[in-house]
Amino acid sequence: MQHPIIERSSRTSAPSRRRRASRFALMGAAAALAFGSAVVAPVGPAFAEAPAVAAAGPASFADVVDRVKGAVVAIKVKAYEESHNPFEGQEISPDDPMYRFFKRFGGETPQRRMTQSQGSGFIISADGYVVTNNHVVEHASDVEVALDDGRTLPAKVIGTDKRTDLALLKVSDGKLPYVDWASTPPRVGDWVIAVGNPFGLGGSVTAGIVSARGRDIGAGPYDDFLQIDAPVNRGNSGGPAFDAHGNVVGVNTAIYSPSGGSVGIGFAIPAEVAKDVIASLKDKGVVARGWIGVKIQPVTPEIADSLGLKSTKGALIAQPQRGAPAEAAGLKAGDVIVAVNGDKVETPRDLARRIAAMGPNKTVDLTYIRNGSEESAKLTLGKLPEEKEARVDEEDMGGGAAGGAQVAGLGIEVAPASEVRGAGGQGLYVTDIDPEGAAAQKGLRRGDVIVEAGGQTVNSRADLSSAIDGARKDGRRSVLLRVKSADGSKFIAVPVKQSAG
């Protein structure tokens, strides 16, 4: 069974004439839809006093499309991939039957293979700045922009931002038609018009509504996508999503699909995010983001109970990075950041976006909760490193142990980390785990190292048992564990059984 997946909706190869003709034939029988104005009548006695509501849809989108289509372009990309010799690094004897084959076809150096792909984009200024997706032009050696009037122009990549999947190109050809960013974000239910280059067909228009806002699709820490049901497909990536006035409300970037084709769930980068990133790329060629240097995670109801918090709002610090601004300001693992410059923080994603948007070298006030008390810290933001923060190496978590002692109620066996090769000198190494037990159900795995329980360092089974007993005495339903794994540090709230009586 094939499961739906999130995938980028671009980089489609240009179809052959035969394939293209067959697609046109299939589409020829489809009837055009007109979006007429309608009146929604009240239904049933519960709505007896509700007034009739006129639908906001226009009779046609043709006027809007005529106004904007000249600014929508197809992006054509050439890239070279190296195909490495499968026998590289192997010594082959002249007597080997494969020797002559290798010498004739394998060569001694990697072979370069040219690939071609296509996406979409749109012009945002008369002097030829073009917006598209980073993944459309990533690794490109040559980029061309095909205009609506049939001309094809060479393009220069001004800058790219992988974290938001945006790129800015530049073409030069006098005064070009362009479109503007929307000044206000769309509401859920507003019309949206997608124009782009699906499957290399060029100049295609689809329409639908904004289905949702603030979608997190796992693309990165700054996910804040519009979900739209205007059909978008491979090749639409980088193209614009317009409102009913012809202003750009989003940049189409991904689809949710079991087959690779549209099922009515597309995702677009909101204009309010895209225009700031594009402005930075135009000005500097890169996007410099603020950084405090912490790994953060959500506050689940179990974690909130373990920490004695009244709310699940905020961002829990799982691990501060050494030498980073947060550590220099005194923040520690287990602190929950609840406000930035007095503005409440709802989620870890909310915190990440706010800090990033401020940029480096800005001074901020962070409000956080530690041991039930609200505290504050002032710090100067650093610059977000280009590469992802270093993770704990898997070999550091390797090793293995002959056996461990069971911890009642959690379904795990542990041994001092100091007795397990590669596990470090502190904490308790999980040597075995019951897959049906409480700890496994909350995400604990064999090979993890428990470094804290209930806010206290643990180096023996007695330490862990004492923390569990303390949680019970305090009336907690869970004990909060700080765990070191191959993916870094995190907090896990594991339920504990209350004593009878």
Side-chain angles (χ1 to χ4, degrees):
M1 177 179 178
Q2 197 170 22
H3 295 283
I5 55 173
I6 298 290
E7 55 183 57
R8 300 300 187 188
S9 54
S10 77
R11 307 207 71 160
T12 180
S13 299
S16 65
R17 291 184 179 178
R18 180 176 300 176
R19 289 173 61 198
R20 184 174 295 184
S22 67
R23 285 174 181 160
F24 275 121
L26 289 172
M27 294 170 64
L33 297 179
F35 294 88
S37 297
V39 174
V40 180
V43 179
F47 301 95
E49 297 180 4
V53 180
S60 171
F61 293 115
D63 289 341
V64 175
V65 173
D66 285 344
R67 192 164 68 249
V68 302
K69 68 178 183 179
V72 182
V73 301
I75 310 292
K76 299 181 178 181
V77 176
K78 292 181 181 178
Y80 290 92
E81 296 180 352
E82 289 189 350
S83 56
H84 290 276
N85 181 357
F87 300 104
E88 187 176 1
Q90 299 184 30
E91 301 228 355
I92 301 179
S93 166
D95 298 327
D96 192 302
M98 295 298 293
Y99 179 77
R100 291 180 63 189
F101 175 85
F102 165 71
K103 294 299 288 182
R104 183 175 179 183
F105 298 105
E108 306 234 346
T109 59
Q111 303 297 308
R112 299 186 77 202
R113 179 173 64 90
M114 188 184 75
T115 61
Q116 299 185 55
S117 58
Q118 298 189 41
S120 302
F122 55 99
I123 305 170
I124 59 168
S125 65
D127 56 348
Y129 281 98
V130 179
V131 175
T132 188
N133 281 148
N134 169 70
H135 76 265
V136 172
V137 297
E138 196 172 24
H139 309 307
S141 56
D142 296 290
V143 181
E144 293 181 330
V145 169
L147 304 179
D148 182 63
D149 61 13
R151 291 178 295 160
T152 299
L153 304 174
K156 177 183 178 182
V157 178
I158 300 300
T160 62
D161 183 50
K162 193 169 185 177
R163 288 183 171 92
T164 54
D165 195 26
L166 288 167
L168 181 65
L169 315 180
K170 180 70 166 63
V171 297
S172 300
D173 192 64
K175 192 172 182 179
L176 294 169
Y178 65 93
V179 290
D180 293 318
W181 300 106
S183 58
T184 57
R187 298 177 302 165
V188 174
D190 281 348
W191 285 110
V192 64
I193 308 161
V195 186
N197 182 35
F199 300 109
L201 295 174
S204 296
V205 181
T206 56
I209 63 169
V210 176
S211 304
R213 291 185 55 88
R215 289 300 197 207
D216 180 0
I217 63 174
Y222 311 116
D223 282 12
D224 188 24
F225 291 100
L226 297 176
Q227 181 184 325
I228 63 175
D229 72 353
V232 292
N233 289 283
R234 292 184 181 275
N236 270 111
S237 269
F242 294 105
D243 61 18
H245 304 289
N247 298 314
V248 178
V249 294
V251 183
N252 300 321
T253 190
I255 58 176
Y256 182 82
S257 173
S259 61
S262 173
V263 294
I265 302 178
F267 300 98
I269 304 161
E272 58 267 31
V273 173
K275 63 184 177 183
D276 289 340
V277 171
I278 293 301
S280 184
L281 292 178
K282 182 179 178 181
D283 184 38
K284 304 174 183 176
V286 295
V287 179
R289 293 184 170 87
W291 175 71
I292 59 175
V294 291
K295 181 176 180 180
I296 51 180
Q297 66 181 83
V299 180
T300 65
E302 294 85 2
I303 289 176
D305 176 72
S306 301
L307 292 174
L309 302 177
K310 297 178 181 179
S311 170
T312 59
K313 294 182 179 180
L316 174 64
I317 298 178
Q319 181 180 10
Q321 187 167 324
R322 290 182 181 177
E327 186 187 59
L331 293 171
K332 299 179 180 180
D335 292 344
V336 178
I337 300 175
V338 293
V340 177
N341 290 337
D343 296 326
K344 299 295 184 183
V345 170
E346 299 291 326
T347 65
R349 206 156 42 102
D350 183 21
L351 175 65
R353 286 200 302 266
R354 289 196 203 181
I355 295 297
M358 290 180 182
N361 304 318
K362 299 286 184 4
T363 300
V364 299
D365 288 306
L366 297 182
T367 304
Y368 62 94
I369 296 175
R370 177 184 293 173
N371 298 327
S373 300
E374 191 172 281
E375 302 184 29
S376 63
K378 186 183 293 290
L379 56 83
T380 301
L381 301 181
K383 180 182 177 182
L384 183 68
E386 290 298 320
E387 299 297 327
K388 191 173 182 180
E389 293 182 21
R391 294 181 173 183
V392 179
D393 293 332
E394 290 191 14
E395 55 267 25
D396 290 340
M397 303 300 302
Q406 290 189 358
V407 180
L410 298 188
I412 61 174
E413 292 185 6
V414 295
S418 58
E419 299 177 4
V420 181
R421 179 178 57 84
Q426 294 183 329
L428 291 173
Y429 183 90
V430 179
T431 60
D432 200 6
I433 190 164
D434 177 6
E436 303 298 326
Q441 296 300 312
K442 291 299 180 180
L444 197 67
R445 298 290 179 263
R446 184 183 181 277
D448 289 348
V449 175
I450 303 169
V451 292
E452 288 182 7
Q456 303 298 318
T457 301
V458 292
N459 288 304
S460 67
R461 180 180 174 280
D463 292 340
L464 182 55
S465 296
S466 176
I468 294 171
D469 291 340
R472 289 196 185 103
K473 290 177 182 177
D474 291 340
R476 308 283 188 208
R477 293 188 296 270
S478 304
V479 61
L480 191 64
L481 308 180
R482 188 160 77 91
V483 177
K484 186 172 69 171
S485 68
D487 295 325
S489 291
K490 60 184 175 182
F491 283 94
I492 296 176
V494 179
V496 294
K497 295 179 179 179
Q498 298 299 319
S499 301

